[in-house]
Amino acid sequence: MIVAFTFFFRDLEPLQHGVHFLLQAASGRTRVKVWDAGCAFGPEPYTLAILLAEAMNPFAFRNVELVASDYDAPLLETLKEGVYPWEQVQRIPADLFAKYFTPAEREGHFRVADVIRQRVQPVIHDLTSLIPVRDGVSMVVCKNVLLHLQPAERIEVIRMFHKALEPGGILLTEHTQKLPDELGPLFEQLVADAQVFRKRDVAA
């Protein structure tokens, strides 16, 4: 079992870039589909949902579908519960923390607001199956898994992401993992110092 240590609002800048380009690409769409692949126990997809809630009007935000996938069922149970200790939420800006969290029954733990939890759909999924959780995705975020894969597996997983993305869809990967050279024709890098890409409409 691979568990990447994470917390809310970790590695925030690329997520902010991703949301910016996602909303540009999805302008006028009735539904925005996001896939957080390898979500562990949930801080990253919930962070994404908070960023989207802040960037969209409430009506548009209700049309967000954020699939959070991992192959480890116990991790997804934590995500479903939406309750986290103070150490994992303490970096959230105070105004957003007050808006989107309430104290939980367990001392020192806090629950994600329903308006955020309702947009996040946990799904058990193994990336190495090379079968996407769904097609026509507006953005794929995969920032905790690729470094654990062998190079050949990594290439095939990113090809799968390309196929799952809608035209002009956005891909975010971990900053320590450059896009393999052979996949360069599939994506346009949007931010010079971050692994944020737009799908090119070419065969994978």
Side-chain angles (χ1 to χ4, degrees):
M1 180 176 68
I2 299 167
V3 180
F5 173 74
T6 189
F7 47 83
F8 282 79
F9 279 55
R10 181 187 183 192
D11 199 18
L12 182 60
E13 188 172 358
L15 297 179
Q16 291 172 321
H17 285 309
V19 166
H20 169 75
F21 289 112
L22 166 66
L23 295 181
Q24 281 188 345
S27 178
R29 305 280 175 86
T30 57
R31 195 159 296 278
V32 176
K33 300 177 184 178
V34 179
W35 177 14
D36 190 311
C39 67
F41 48 88
E44 183 175 84
Y46 281 137
T47 296
L48 273 170
I50 291 170
L51 294 176
L52 287 165
E54 289 295 297
M56 304 172 76
N57 67 59
F59 177 79
F61 182 63
R62 287 199 295 271
N63 292 322
V64 169
E65 297 177 0
L66 203 164
V67 175
S69 72
D70 203 281
Y71 72 95
D72 191 277
L75 295 180
L76 293 179
E77 288 303 315
T78 299
L79 186 152
K80 289 177 186 176
E81 186 182 19
V83 173
Y84 297 90
W86 171 246
E87 299 78 48
Q88 291 169 17
V89 300
Q90 61 184 336
R91 297 167 182 82
I92 300 172
D95 58 332
L96 298 182
F97 181 73
K99 187 174 181 179
Y100 294 116
F101 289 82
T102 55
E105 293 78 9
R106 279 174 281 171
E107 184 176 356
H109 287 67
F110 300 87
R111 185 181 304 277
V112 182
D114 286 348
V115 68
I116 299 299
R117 292 173 59 204
Q118 289 166 359
R119 303 273 60 82
V120 179
Q121 305 169 13
V123 174
I124 297 174
H125 181 262
D126 182 355
L127 285 175
T128 61
S129 72
L130 303 181
I131 301 171
V133 294
R134 62 182 55 188
D135 295 320
V137 178
S138 306
M139 181 166 73
V140 174
V141 179
C142 186
K143 298 172 72 274
N144 300 311
V145 178
L146 294 176
L147 75 166
H148 298 291
L149 301 178
Q150 295 300 315
E153 288 181 313
R154 193 176 304 138
I155 288 170
E156 293 308 309
V157 166
I158 296 173
R159 287 188 190 277
M160 174 188 65
F161 291 154
H162 183 271
K163 292 176 181 177
L165 284 165
E166 66 186 8
I170 306 302
L171 172 68
L172 271 71
T173 64
E174 51 220 8
H175 70 278
T176 58
Q177 293 293 313
K178 305 300 182 186
L179 195 72
D181 291 342
E182 51 265 66
L183 299 183
L186 301 184
F187 294 97
E188 170 194 5
Q189 188 163 359
L190 297 175
V191 182
D193 58 349
Q195 301 300 296
V196 181
F197 304 92
R198 180 185 288 122
K199 173 181 176 174
R200 298 183 193 269
D201 197 12
V202 296

